[in-house]
Amino acid sequence: MVGKNPKAYAFVTDQNTGNETDVIITRKATIDDNFTEDALLITLTQDAIFNFRQYSTLDFPEINLVSVTEITDELYSRVEQQIRNDANGISNKTNSESKIDVDSFRRIFKLELLEPGKENVLKAIELLEKRDDIRSAEPNYIGEFSTLSPNDPASIDQWALNYLQLPNAWYLSAGSSTVRVGIADSGIDRNHPDLVGRINETLSRDHSGGGNPWFTTNVHGTHVAGIVGATGNNSLGITGVNWNVELVSLKVGNQEPTAAAVAAAITFANANEIRVLNLSLSINETQAINDAINAFDGVIVCAAGNSTSETVGYPARVNNPRIISVGSLDSDNSRSSFSNWGKVEIWAPGGNILSTIPEGATPTDYRRYSDGYAYTDGTSMAAPHVAGVVALMLSVNPNLTPQQLQTNIINNANTITITVPDPGFWPWEWNRTRDIVVQKLNAYEAVKAVAIFNTRILANDTIEIIDTFDRQLTGIIEIPPFLNNRPVKIISHLAFSNQTQLTQITIPSSVTTIGNNAFQNTNNAPIYLEGRTSAPNTFDINWNSSGNPVYLNGNLCTHTSTTLMSINYTQHGHLCNTCRTFVSESNHNHNVEHIPLGTAPSGIAVHSSYCRCGHSVTVPCVSKIPHLPGDTVICTYCGQEFTNPLFMITLPNGESFVSNAPFTYDMFKQLAEHLEISNEYADFVLSTRSSTIDYEYDISLASILPSRKETLYECCE
Ligand SMILES: [Zn+2]
Ligand SMILES: [Zn+2]
Ligand SMILES: [Zn+2]
Ligand SMILES: [Zn+2]
Ligand SMILES: [Zn+2]
């Protein structure tokens, strides 16, 4: 039961604060700024917090709008309740949600233009800035994507990271220890501080027969391994393409790999769920290796070779969806002078690459950076960048086939033109060149293209699923408890709405918050809440707005106990106390009580009218006419007296009402509800009204004046 204490009702919590902070904010946007053509953002002054009404396109008659969306919609309904509770002396502390600072809260709206265009956006802003109820009007700027930067000090000298858009890719996934990458090379230094913990030592093998899968004298394998997976964000040295991944050392020789060792490494990888194998080597073609490749369930990323030749090395040149041949690029987008270029699927950084070498080692052909780190060059360095990105792709979508991995690497690359030698016929043509168009690796686009969930990092222990990149999912969708090494705690509002091909949805117990309409229109797919006997009240009351069947720990909820609750401005329903799904829904009926609230600062007499579900609306007082000369004007509903009723409306049934307030569309909707007339009748009145009433907007008066049926009312003398 809501207490009655109209005198304590606060329309404005702090008039002074409000006036001082609500200076109109104008920032000059220009046509050259980057913003969307179809929308703009406005914030309203503090007064709008206390009018408890929704806004529609009719509230902005000076511009042609398709829609008005309140971005602060959810928050504002909480603010509204908080203000009402404050006014009625009800403590907000029982509320599970934290209290919102009303003084700093402002309502934010997105306005969608009927006629898109950057000029139209700027013109609309100019018009809206003249209104004193609008605090700011701004373009819908287009920003940059979220990035994640590691704290490894030497990462600033890894030019390949930004070049491949890895900081964007890492925001979606920085890798996972559940993805295995085989390094078929000269062995890895397992004691390197930037590789410790990344290597599966049990699975590592020496296929060259020496019985030692680790680094002996050739640092090549350690450098390659660091590019794929040196530990990221450990405040040490460099970061790999993957901050976190499982590396397996598959030694195929110290100085020179043998065909037997390479075939054995591929076969071993296949048998041990290593789905990404890096082969930074070339060797003579053998049927043994060809057969091993044909049986491999994964991708083998191969260096194209360093002989400045159109002919690429073996096995890079094998035509097979499992083989990705990689050429080398320098930081200026050119082919590294040594790189082969013929059968190359993808180009990646291979010139001047900083990575790990065993501490204390000072190998030739490597340029020292610091102890344990050095630069070197080669298609051997380009291949592990690609292998690393394939591992990132598998971390967001483990079910990708070799063909899908290769296709997505190539289709999401950037096209660049590189120059290659083109020896002519005549001796004097020896230094002729030609340009070829090739594909340059883009880690972000490749990962995004295969990621199932679009996520946002809210904290080191909180991932929010925003949506599915507009992709249609089919069948069973299992939301993982972890994404990007953080627990999935939040499913955003509308996250899976309109996924009409789903047959089952599984939600892990890590998810503690689900927004409104998260599973709206999802084919009535059963929703399984794992490890829960009830839905927590941090699930929005409209989380399951389409009423999908809900299974709690495998048991179908039969909604035996319910509570009548307000759903939104127009509806209430019986909410299941167990799974928080509405069982039945109907329109509010605001006839339980009408509490006089006095006169608002705008001079309009208002009262609150309540529904039995507890929902209330603030509506202007109305008084039925005619009444006798000399009568005081008494609100028909709350009984409070008011003066200066300037506005009158006549309903189709002949009844007329007066009010202090101009009868806007939204107000009338509330009035119609209030007037105990049937829904059909209300709809009739509303449709008649919206099609026949014209509004003339006068900015200097800053109010909506009626021009037809609704007339200015002069009280009888
Ligand atoms: Zn590191
Ligand atoms: Zn239920
Ligand atoms: Zn209700
Ligand atoms: Zn009233
Ligand atoms: Zn009168």
Side-chain angles (χ1 to χ4, degrees):
M1 185 62 195
V2 179
K4 299 183 187 182
N5 188 3
K7 284 194 180 121
Y9 191 85
F11 269 98
V12 177
T13 50
D14 184 341
Q15 191 74 55
N16 288 332
T17 311
N19 285 341
E20 280 162 25
T21 54
D22 268 349
V23 285
I24 305 299
I25 298 164
T26 49
R27 289 192 195 88
K28 264 284 163 272
T30 72
I31 197 85
D32 296 321
D33 291 338
N34 194 14
F35 55 86
T36 65
E37 300 196 341
D38 59 350
L40 57 138
L41 296 173
I42 63 162
T43 61
L44 298 183
T45 55
Q46 192 179 31
D47 288 354
I49 298 174
F50 303 98
N51 65 19
F52 299 154
R53 56 184 290 269
Q54 289 180 294
Y55 283 77
S56 71
T57 55
L58 292 175
D59 289 297
F60 308 96
E62 60 269 77
I63 46 178
N64 277 330
L65 294 176
V66 181
S67 70
V68 173
T69 312
E70 178 160 11
I71 289 172
T72 44
D73 189 27
E74 273 183 273
L75 207 52
Y76 181 58
S77 49
R78 280 173 57 190
V79 168
E80 179 183 342
Q81 197 54 52
Q82 191 174 303
I83 293 170
R84 288 183 191 287
N85 288 351
D86 280 344
N88 293 316
I90 297 170
S91 168
N92 283 299
K93 291 201 180 94
T94 52
N95 199 321
S96 64
E97 292 160 329
S98 59
K99 201 169 170 176
I100 298 154
D101 178 12
V102 174
D103 282 341
S104 56
F105 175 79
R106 295 293 181 277
R107 298 177 70 179
I108 307 168
F109 293 80
K110 181 180 167 192
L111 311 186
E112 209 183 339
L113 294 178
L114 184 66
E115 293 154 359
K118 290 181 92 174
E119 285 98 326
N120 291 349
V121 169
L122 295 178
K123 210 171 82 188
I125 288 171
E126 207 182 301
L127 287 168
L128 291 170
E129 278 179 345
K130 291 179 180 161
R131 287 171 58 155
D132 53 13
D133 60 336
I134 293 177
R135 182 163 171 255
S136 67
E138 295 158 311
N140 184 24
Y141 286 112
I142 298 166
E144 276 156 24
F145 290 106
S146 305
T147 63
L148 208 56
S149 299
N151 61 18
D152 309 73
S155 64
I156 55 164
D157 293 311
Q158 293 178 271
W159 68 268
L161 304 181
N162 286 326
Y163 185 84
L164 295 174
Q165 266 191 271
L166 274 164
N168 302 123
W170 289 330
Y171 194 77
L172 294 175
S173 174
S176 164
S177 59
T178 61
V179 177
R180 268 180 200 157
V181 180
I183 308 294
D185 216 288
S186 62
I188 305 173
D189 174 15
R190 61 173 158 171
N191 298 317
H192 194 290
D194 233 355
L195 292 170
V196 161
R198 299 279 80 82
I199 302 168
N200 183 329
E201 299 200 4
T202 322
L203 217 51
S204 293
R205 291 288 184 280
D206 183 356
H207 295 289
S208 67
N212 175 12
W214 314 118
F215 154 78
T216 46
T217 61
N218 185 353
V219 306
H220 189 270
T222 304
H223 201 270
V224 167
I227 294 167
V228 175
T231 305
N233 214 39
N234 64 344
S235 307
L236 181 74
I238 61 156
T239 180
V241 169
N242 294 260
W243 294 12
N244 187 13
V245 70
E246 188 178 282
L247 300 171
V248 182
S249 180
L250 302 175
K251 196 167 176 179
V252 291
N254 182 37
Q255 291 300 337
E256 284 145 352
T258 64
V262 171
I266 296 170
T267 305
F268 179 84
N270 201 17
N272 288 281
E273 282 163 37
I274 296 170
R275 301 200 58 226
V276 191
L277 185 60
N278 189 81
L279 241 58
S280 285
L281 57 86
S282 288
I283 194 165
N284 287 343
E285 180 163 359
T286 57
Q287 194 53 45
I289 294 176
N290 280 341
D291 287 348
I293 291 169
N294 285 331
F296 190 68
D297 179 28
V299 294
I300 303 173
V301 183
C302 302
N306 304 332
S307 41
T308 320
S309 160
E310 178 145 21
T311 307
V312 307
Y314 174 87
R317 66 170 174 265
V318 174
N319 271 311
N320 188 310
R322 299 168 186 84
I323 297 284
I324 301 178
S325 167
V326 185
S328 173
L329 293 172
D330 288 345
S331 58
D332 62 357
N333 257 349
S334 68
R335 181 184 59 89
S336 304
S337 58
F338 51 79
S339 180
N340 296 346
W341 68 86
K343 188 260 182 194
V344 169
E345 272 84 43
I346 195 79
W347 292 76
N352 208 31
I353 300 303
L354 177 61
S355 187
T356 45
I357 59 168
E359 288 180 316
T362 52
T364 51
D365 293 337
Y366 289 75
R367 298 177 292 283
R368 184 191 149 91
Y369 179 85
S370 61
D371 189 25
Y373 299 91
Y375 292 101
T376 195
D377 321 283
T379 52
S380 282
M381 282 63 241
H385 281 110
V386 176
V389 171
V390 172
L392 288 179
M393 292 163 79
L394 285 171
S395 76
V396 296
N397 193 340
N399 300 320
L400 295 165
T401 64
Q403 180 74 71
Q404 287 172 323
L405 287 164
Q406 191 190 72
T407 305
N408 278 292
I409 284 275
I410 296 167
N411 290 355
N412 294 289
N414 299 115
T415 301
I416 58 167
T417 301
I418 58 171
T419 302
V420 298
D422 182 30
F425 181 74
W426 304 104
W428 56 84
E429 293 178 322
W430 65 274
N431 63 349
R432 202 166 73 168
T433 61
R434 66 189 164 95
D435 289 345
I436 58 171
V437 174
V438 297
Q439 302 301 319
K440 167 182 114 175
L441 179 65
N442 184 320
Y444 171 62
E445 293 298 338
V447 171
K448 191 177 78 165
V450 299
I452 301 165
F453 306 105
N454 186 15
T455 54
R456 176 157 43 213
I457 300 171
L458 292 177
N460 256 340
D461 65 347
T462 308
I463 283 279
E464 175 182 15
I465 294 179
I466 304 166
D467 55 38
T468 59
F469 295 108
D470 294 330
R471 262 196 289 282
Q472 196 73 30
L473 308 176
T474 52
I476 297 170
I477 182 79
E478 248 180 84
I479 292 161
F482 282 86
L483 281 170
N484 208 0
N485 289 312
R486 295 162 180 85
V488 176
K489 291 192 182 171
I490 302 171
I491 296 174
S492 188
H493 62 106
L494 296 168
F496 294 90
S497 62
N498 298 317
Q499 293 286 354
T500 55
Q501 315 283 308
L502 297 183
T503 56
Q504 185 185 311
I505 299 155
T506 303
I507 301 171
S509 58
S510 64
V511 172
T512 54
T513 304
I514 302 183
N516 61 41
N517 302 312
F519 301 97
Q520 188 177 45
N521 188 24
T522 46
N523 191 33
N524 206 34
I527 299 174
Y528 286 78
L529 296 179
E530 304 270 278
R532 288 193 184 280
T533 51
S534 67
N537 63 7
T538 40
F539 283 19
D540 187 275
I541 53 169
N542 290 309
W543 77 274
N544 183 21
S545 53
S546 292
N548 295 27
V550 176
Y551 288 80
L552 295 147
N553 267 340
N555 303 313
L556 177 65
C557 185
T558 52
H559 315 312
T560 43
S561 154
T562 62
T563 306
L564 181 66
M565 281 192 76
S566 171
I567 300 171
N568 52 37
Y569 282 91
T570 54
Q571 288 198 304
H572 59 222
H574 292 271
L575 188 70
C576 174
N577 293 330
T578 310
C579 73
R580 288 176 77 75
T581 298
F582 278 106
V583 173
S584 62
E585 297 163 7
S586 56
N587 286 338
H588 291 300
N589 184 336
H590 286 108
N591 287 312
V592 174
E593 50 184 346
H594 308 104
I595 301 173
L597 298 176
T599 304
S602 53
I604 297 166
V606 289
H607 60 250
S608 273
S609 63
Y610 282 83
C611 174
R612 67 202 159 92
C613 72
H615 183 262
S616 66
V617 289
T618 300
V619 290
C621 286
V622 294
S623 185
K624 201 169 170 182
I625 59 164
H627 50 85
L628 298 171
D631 277 357
T632 47
V633 183
I634 301 284
C635 175
T636 310
Y637 296 93
C638 73
Q640 82 173 313
E641 185 180 333
F642 61 98
T643 55
N644 300 323
L646 278 174
F647 300 92
M648 182 179 79
I649 188 160
T650 303
L651 302 180
N653 68 357
E655 289 182 344
S656 292
F657 291 85
V658 293
S659 173
N660 288 144
F663 288 78
T664 64
Y665 182 85
D666 278 353
M667 262 180 54
F668 184 74
K669 215 160 65 180
Q670 294 178 339
L671 273 175
E673 188 182 59
H674 189 150
L675 291 173
E676 298 177 36
I677 50 182
S678 77
N679 278 335
E680 298 81 51
Y681 185 63
D683 288 343
F684 168 75
V685 173
L686 289 172
S687 60
T688 306
R689 184 177 161 76
S690 59
S691 59
T692 59
I693 299 277
D694 292 331
Y695 293 95
E696 284 167 5
Y697 193 78
D698 183 333
I699 287 169
S700 66
L701 289 176
S703 77
I704 296 166
L705 298 174
S707 66
R708 247 186 252 169
K709 274 186 189 164
E710 190 176 80
T711 50
L712 285 177
Y713 176 73
E714 286 176 47
C715 190
C716 45
E717 298 309 320

